[in-house]
């Protein structure tokens, strides 16, 4: 129970038991789950009985729930017996180590539409080196989505995979006027100024370029 509670705390789940309360429980007692519900995607909320000490709620993943120890009555139906520790550990992904499971939250993005529009605007050509090979071209966000960037063509620029990474890491900087600054002597064959889309309405927004340029 302590391991599962530690996992709920690590994984920042909504319900966990108070650690000081768990420390007071009897080691040789069986505390049954009296109720469980499917709480969120891939998450189970269980209600645990602590008898005279009341009830507690604990959240865990479905996989972790399926690995809980099972208690059964003995042959004479006189005593509840729990599984052997070794049998319990066989179900765990890491036999001698605790683990963490998280449901990762990501912003919803219309990436397919964004990529199509950006590559079309730049004629499927890397804006900083002229490479024309769609399979290794990316629709790069000027201001990253994680920092509030939008999925708008004016916040996008067509880059090959190498220069997308260099742009993201700050090894290539693009001024608001489109001038390219190279911060690594290892980067070769780069235009002095980016290739702009034919349609001026699709040019990268100067404010977005300025914001990205000033990022550290």
């Amino acid at each position: 129970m302590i391991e599962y509670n530690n996992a709920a705390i690590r994984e920042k789940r909504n319900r966990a038991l108070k650690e000081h309360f768990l420390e007071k429980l009897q080691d040789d007692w069986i505390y049954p789950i009296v109720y469980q519900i499917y709480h969120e995607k891939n998450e189970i909320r269980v209600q645990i009985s602590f008898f005279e000490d009341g009830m507690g709620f604990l959240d865990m993943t479905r996989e972790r729930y399926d690995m809980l120890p099972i208690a059964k009555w003995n042959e004479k139906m006189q005593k509840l017996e729990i599984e052997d520790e070794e049998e319990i550990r066989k179900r765990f992904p890491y036999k001698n180590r605790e683990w963490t499971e998280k449901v990762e939250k990501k912003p919803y993005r219309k990436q397919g539409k964004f990529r199509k529009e950006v590559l079309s605007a730049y004629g499927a050509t890397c804006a900083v080196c002229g490479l024309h090979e769609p399979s290794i071209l990316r629709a790069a966000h000027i201001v990253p989505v994680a920092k509030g960037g939008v999925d708008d063509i004016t916040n996008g620029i067509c880059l090959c995979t190498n220069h997308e990474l260099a742009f993201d890491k700050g090894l290539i900087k693009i001024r608001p006027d489109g001038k390219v600054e190279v911060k690594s002597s290892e980067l070769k064959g780069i235009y002095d100024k980016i290739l702009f889309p034919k349609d001026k309405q699709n040019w990268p927004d100067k404010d977005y370029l300025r914001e990205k340029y000033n990022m550290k």
Side-chain angles (χ1 to χ4, degrees), residues 165-192:
L165 183 59
F167 183 57
D168 182 58
K169 299 296 184 182
L171 299 176
I172 292 173
K173 284 186 170 288
I174 302 173
R175 296 179 185 174
D177 62 359
K179 183 76 175 179
V180 179
E181 294 181 4
V182 183
K183 302 299 182 180
S184 172
S185 60
E186 297 300 315
L187 294 171
K188 311 291 184 182
I190 296 175
Y191 296 152
D192 291 331

Side-chain angles (χ1 to χ4, degrees), residues 55 57-58 66 68 91 145:
M55 300 282 184
F57 291 94
L58 182 60
D66 290 339
L68 281 168
R91 298 198 293 271
V145 171

Side-chain angles (χ1 to χ4, degrees), residues 6-13 40-43 59-64 94 99-106:
N6 287 341
I9 294 170
R10 283 198 308 272
E11 295 164 8
K12 295 181 172 60
R13 301 198 178 274
E40 290 184 0
K41 181 181 179 182
N42 194 38
E43 184 175 273
D59 291 349
M60 64 191 69
T61 63
R62 178 79 206 197
E63 181 181 5
R64 202 181 289 273
Y94 301 96
W99 70 97
T100 297
E101 298 176 60
K102 289 188 177 181
V103 177
E104 188 175 359
K105 295 180 180 179
K106 294 182 179 180

Side-chain angles (χ1 to χ4, degrees), residues 1 3-5 31-33 35-36 44-48 58 60-71 82-83 87-89 91-92 99:
M1 195 183 302
E3 283 187 30
Y4 273 54
N5 199 62
Y31 298 96
I33 290 173
Y35 181 70
Q36 62 88 9
I44 301 291
R45 173 167 293 172
V46 302
Q47 185 177 21
I48 305 169
L58 182 60
M60 64 191 69
T61 63
R62 178 79 206 197
E63 181 181 5
R64 202 181 289 273
Y65 175 80
D66 290 339
M67 290 184 288
L68 281 168
I70 298 172
I82 199 163
E83 288 180 286
E87 290 300 313
I88 297 170
R89 294 291 168 184
R91 298 198 293 271
F92 287 15
W99 70 97

Side-chain angles (χ1 to χ4, degrees), residues 18-183:
K18 293 182 179 180
E19 294 176 85
H20 71 272
F21 172 73
L22 289 180
E23 292 172 358
K24 297 178 181 178
L25 297 179
Q26 297 289 332
D27 289 338
D28 56 348
W29 280 39
I30 296 175
Y31 298 96
I33 290 173
V34 294
Y35 181 70
Q36 62 88 9
I37 59 170
Y38 190 78
H39 179 235
E40 290 184 0
K41 181 181 179 182
N42 194 38
E43 184 175 273
I44 301 291
R45 173 167 293 172
V46 302
Q47 185 177 21
I48 305 169
S49 172
F50 297 107
F51 305 108
E52 68 271 11
D53 291 320
M55 300 282 184
F57 291 94
L58 182 60
D59 291 349
M60 64 191 69
T61 63
R62 178 79 206 197
E63 181 181 5
R64 202 181 289 273
Y65 175 80
D66 290 339
M67 290 184 288
L68 281 168
I70 298 172
K72 296 181 180 180
W73 290 103
N74 63 11
E75 292 182 0
K76 295 183 179 180
M77 300 294 289
Q78 295 175 335
K79 181 181 179 183
L80 274 175
E81 296 180 346
I82 199 163
E83 288 180 286
D84 180 81
E85 177 76 9
E86 187 174 344
E87 290 300 313
I88 297 170
R89 294 291 168 184
K90 284 180 182 179
R91 298 198 293 271
F92 287 15
Y94 301 96
K95 187 175 181 181
N96 298 310
R97 183 173 297 186
E98 293 186 41
W99 70 97
T100 297
E101 298 176 60
K102 289 188 177 181
V103 177
E104 188 175 359
K105 295 180 180 179
K106 294 182 179 180
Y108 173 69
R109 293 161 56 184
K110 299 176 181 178
Q111 187 65 23
K113 182 174 182 289
F114 179 69
R115 171 182 164 78
K116 183 177 179 181
E117 290 179 347
V118 171
L119 264 66
S120 176
Y122 285 82
T125 304
C126 176
V128 301
C129 73
L131 182 68
H132 184 72
E133 176 47 64
S135 65
I136 56 173
L137 292 177
R138 300 289 183 267
H141 286 84
I142 297 169
V143 178
V145 171
K147 295 185 180 293
V150 295
D151 288 327
D152 187 87
I153 195 168
T154 60
N155 186 42
I157 185 168
C158 183
L159 298 173
C160 65
T161 51
N162 281 346
H163 293 136
E164 178 196 32
L165 183 59
F167 183 57
D168 182 58
K169 299 296 184 182
L171 299 176
I172 292 173
K173 284 186 170 288
I174 302 173
R175 296 179 185 174
D177 62 359
K179 183 76 175 179
V180 179
E181 294 181 4
V182 183
K183 302 299 182 180

